Amino acid sequence: MFATSSCTVVLFSVFSLFLSVFSVFPSCAEYDPVIAGKQLEFPRDRGAHPGHRIEWWYVTGHLKTKSSEDLGFQVTFFRVRNPDAETNPSRFSPKQLLFAHAALADPAAGRLLHAQRSARMIEGLVEAREGETQLRLDGWSLVREGSIYRTRITDGDFSLELDLAPTQQPMLQGDRGFSRKAPAAAHASYYYSEPQLRVKGRITRKAGASDVEGVAWLDHEWSSALLAPEAAGWDWLGANLEDGSALMAFRMRSKDGATVWAAGSIRSPGGA
C-alpha cells in the first residue's frame, strides 16, 4: 500500500496467476472476439461473458479500523474458458474454470495474509453467472445485491465480510470500454472500472474481529487475445484520490523492461 496526502492506492499482484492460466488453452480463434465500437450495457456486462477466453473481477481497497489501523485488501475472481472440454456432455466437465485470490495487508505489522482457491464451474456450487455480478467459489463470493457489492472470504488466517457501495457511474476504459493492450487492435479487452466504492464491514484476524470502513476500486475486464507476443508483463495502478477523482494507468512491458504499450485515464471529482 502506498499513501500520500492526496491519494491512497492499494496494489496486489495476481498477474502471475493470470499468465499461468492464460497460456494453457488454445488460440483465440476458439473464442468470442473483442471488437471496437461495441457498447457496454449495464447490468448485463457486470456479469460473466463465458464465450471469451478469460475474465476477471478485481477489487482492491484501503480500510481503517475504529482504532485507526490502516489495512489493505484485495479480492479477485478469474473465469477461464476451456474449449477442449466443451464436447464432453458430463456436468462435471471443466468447460469453465474459476480461480480466486484474496489478501489482507497490515503494513504496520509488515504482514500480508493471502489465500487462493480454484475449481471447475458447477451450477449452484461454483459459479460466474451472466447478467449480473454473481461469483461463488467454495464459500467465497463476490455478488451484487441491489446497488451494493458484497464479498465474503473466509480462510484459516483471516476473513473479510465487506459491503461496497458505488458512488459513481462505471468508468469506461480506453475507447468507451475497448481497451487496447498493444499497437495491434487485436490485442484488446473490454474494460471498465468502478472507483470510489465506499466500504463498510468486518475483518477477522487471529487477534480478533474489527469493524472497518474505507474506499475501494473494482476492475472488470474480459478478453480473448490479450498479450502481444513481445509483451511479458503488466504494471497497473488504480488510485482513488481524496477529492473524489480517480486515476488508472497501465503499461505492457517486454522481457527487457521496455514499454510495449501504455494507457491511462483520469476522472474528475464527482465522476464526470
Side-chain angles (χ1 to χ4, degrees), residues 83-233:
D84 285 350
E86 292 176 354
T87 57
N88 187 333
S90 171
R91 177 172 178 258
F92 301 101
S93 179
K95 303 177 181 70
Q96 298 275 342
L97 306 176
L98 202 60
F99 300 78
H101 185 274
L104 180 66
D106 185 348
R111 292 185 302 171
L112 176 65
L113 304 174
H114 59 93
Q116 61 188 32
R117 296 187 179 186
S118 61
R120 71 192 70 189
M121 285 172 53
I122 300 176
E123 185 176 357
L125 297 173
V126 180
E127 296 183 306
R129 294 187 183 180
E130 298 179 62
E132 185 54 279
T133 305
Q134 298 283 326
L135 302 157
R136 294 180 174 85
L137 172 54
D138 293 342
W140 289 18
S141 62
L142 174 64
V143 303
R144 186 172 170 118
E145 298 177 355
S147 62
I148 306 296
Y149 292 97
R150 305 186 192 279
T151 186
R152 302 293 184 262
I153 302 292
T154 301
D155 187 66
D157 293 329
F158 70 101
S159 66
L160 306 172
E161 299 179 45
L162 304 174
D163 293 348
L164 305 97
T167 63
Q168 303 178 0
Q169 293 299 311
M171 183 178 178
L172 304 184
Q173 303 294 359
D175 181 9
R176 294 169 295 173
F178 177 82
S179 175
R180 288 172 62 169
K181 301 299 191 292
H187 299 286
S189 68
Y190 296 122
Y191 177 17
Y192 71 88
S193 305
E194 294 204 48
Q196 300 290 356
L197 296 166
R198 294 300 169 190
V199 185
K200 289 187 177 181
R202 172 168 288 204
I203 60 102
T204 303
R205 298 164 286 176
K206 290 184 178 179
S210 302
D211 291 332
V212 293
E213 294 186 357
V215 62
W217 179 295
L218 182 150
D219 268 358
H220 182 195
E221 194 160 0
W222 60 101
S223 183
S224 291
L226 189 58
L227 289 180
E230 62 271 29

